[in-house]
Amino acid sequence: MQIARGLRQLMDAQGLTQGDVARSAEVSSGTVNRYLMWQDRSALKIPTLRAIAKAAGATADQTEILVELARSQSDGWWMDNAQAAPWLNALHAFEEIAEYEYVWATSLVPGLAQTPSYARHLHEQQDPRADAAVIDARVEARMRRQQILNREDMRLTIILDQAVLKRRVGSAAVMAEQIDHLRHLAERPRVRVQVLPFDVGAPDAGSGGHFLILGREDVAEPVNSMSVVYLELHRRSMYLDDPADVTDYKIMFDDLRSQAADKGRTLDLLTTARSEYDA
């Protein structure tokens, strides 16, 4: 997936089309499309990748990053590589082609649902020595990421542990604004927000923490389908795409969805939480 994102960014920077790259790399447009759409990773060929990267305008260093990624797709080495990480953000790459995203949030409002003020306070707290310009850039990037919610083919389901609403991030005003935003999101046609109330007992996810499931289904062309679990850790993130792992997480999420409050009660819980932050 990061390979596809890297190639698309290179092409966009040069203003190149798939046809342009195919002609320069001396491959078919269909071949270029397979690399851009993350199709059939087992058939990925290093010489073809090099040719497409060069045709897309990659530097020698960028080409080697893509090649190294192709050779070690599962170990996440690039997450700690200062040159590669901003260019090959895995979560952004998955979201660019996903048609659905399921989020289980245990302690904080997830990024796709954060207000700028909430996001800013989190970044400031996580990196108190960062310059204001750096914080501004991070907040802006998070807001840009939320633009995927405007796509007609994207569906988002968020399940929030009720503790998320109780944990104050920033001032009472920041929390009030954030909960108002969650209420507005819950009314959007392709967004579903559910709260898991304290009174239902322990969550069906057990001791598992925050996770995301991203996917895209293509019945006509199964090779175009994607289904991954994205886990956020302290210093890095990882994804799981083994079918057994994905199935386990999907079952867990379905159980959480059944356990969580329906839309009506969720809105009531959000309204009650919002009142607790009134001046």
Side-chain angles (χ1 to χ4, degrees), residues 7 10 16 20-27 31-32 35 45-58 63 66-67:
L7 290 173
L10 288 167
L16 298 172
D20 296 331
V21 172
R23 284 189 293 273
S24 180
E26 298 183 346
V27 297
T31 296
V32 174
Y35 282 73
K45 306 297 183 185
I46 298 300
T48 303
L49 175 59
R50 285 187 183 277
I52 292 174
K54 181 179 179 181
T63 298
L66 292 171
V67 168

Side-chain angles (χ1 to χ4, degrees), residues 14 89 99 109 125 135 159 170 226 254 256 259 278:
Q14 300 293 326
N89 185 289
E99 292 179 344
V109 174
Q125 188 171 15
I135 298 297
I159 301 177
M226 173 199 70
D254 286 341
L256 286 166
Q259 191 181 21
D278 285 336

Side-chain angles (χ1 to χ4, degrees), residues 236-256:
R236 62 189 298 176
S237 302
M238 65 180 293
Y239 65 89
L240 308 172
D241 62 358
D242 182 272
D245 289 330
V246 174
T247 296
D248 284 346
Y249 274 88
K250 283 185 174 180
I251 291 172
M252 189 188 309
F253 192 81
D254 286 341
D255 290 343
L256 286 166

Side-chain angles (χ1 to χ4, degrees), residues 69-86:
L69 183 60
R71 288 173 172 158
S72 55
Q73 294 186 49
S74 62
D75 65 14
W77 64 270
W78 54 272
M79 295 294 288
D80 297 320
N81 183 304
Q83 183 179 5

Side-chain angles (χ1 to χ4, degrees), residues 143-159:
M143 296 305 105
R144 283 199 306 270
R145 179 185 159 212
Q146 294 178 4
Q147 293 175 7
I148 67 168
L149 299 182
N150 297 325
R151 287 174 19 210
E152 293 186 358
D153 65 340
M154 183 63 176
R155 294 174 287 113
L156 172 66
T157 300
I158 298 173
I159 301 177

Side-chain angles (χ1 to χ4, degrees), residues 200-267:
V200 301
D204 286 342
S207 60
H210 177 99
F211 67 82
L212 295 77
I213 304 172
L214 302 100
R216 180 187 66 211
E217 305 296 337
D218 191 330
V219 177
E221 295 287 345
V223 74
N224 290 335
S225 297
M226 173 199 70
S227 192
V228 298
V229 177
Y230 194 85
L231 305 174
E232 296 182 358
L233 307 178
H234 174 53
R235 294 193 60 188
R236 62 189 298 176
S237 302
M238 65 180 293
Y239 65 89
L240 308 172
D241 62 358
D242 182 272
D245 289 330
V246 174
T247 296
D248 284 346
Y249 274 88
K250 283 185 174 180
I251 291 172
M252 189 188 309
F253 192 81
D254 286 341
D255 290 343
L256 286 166
R257 188 156 39 190
S258 298
Q259 191 181 21
D262 60 16
K263 180 177 179 179
R265 189 178 179 206
T266 288
L267 290 173

Side-chain angles (χ1 to χ4, degrees), residues 68-115:
E68 180 62 25
L69 183 60
R71 288 173 172 158
S72 55
Q73 294 186 49
S74 62
D75 65 14
W77 64 270
W78 54 272
M79 295 294 288
D80 297 320
N81 183 304
Q83 183 179 5
W87 182 41
L88 299 172
N89 185 289
L91 180 56
H92 295 180
F94 293 138
E95 287 180 337
E96 283 182 359
I97 66 169
E99 292 179 344
Y100 63 83
E101 183 167 335
Y102 305 147
V103 185
W104 163 233
T106 58
S107 59
L108 298 170
V109 174
L112 285 179
Q114 291 175 7
T115 63

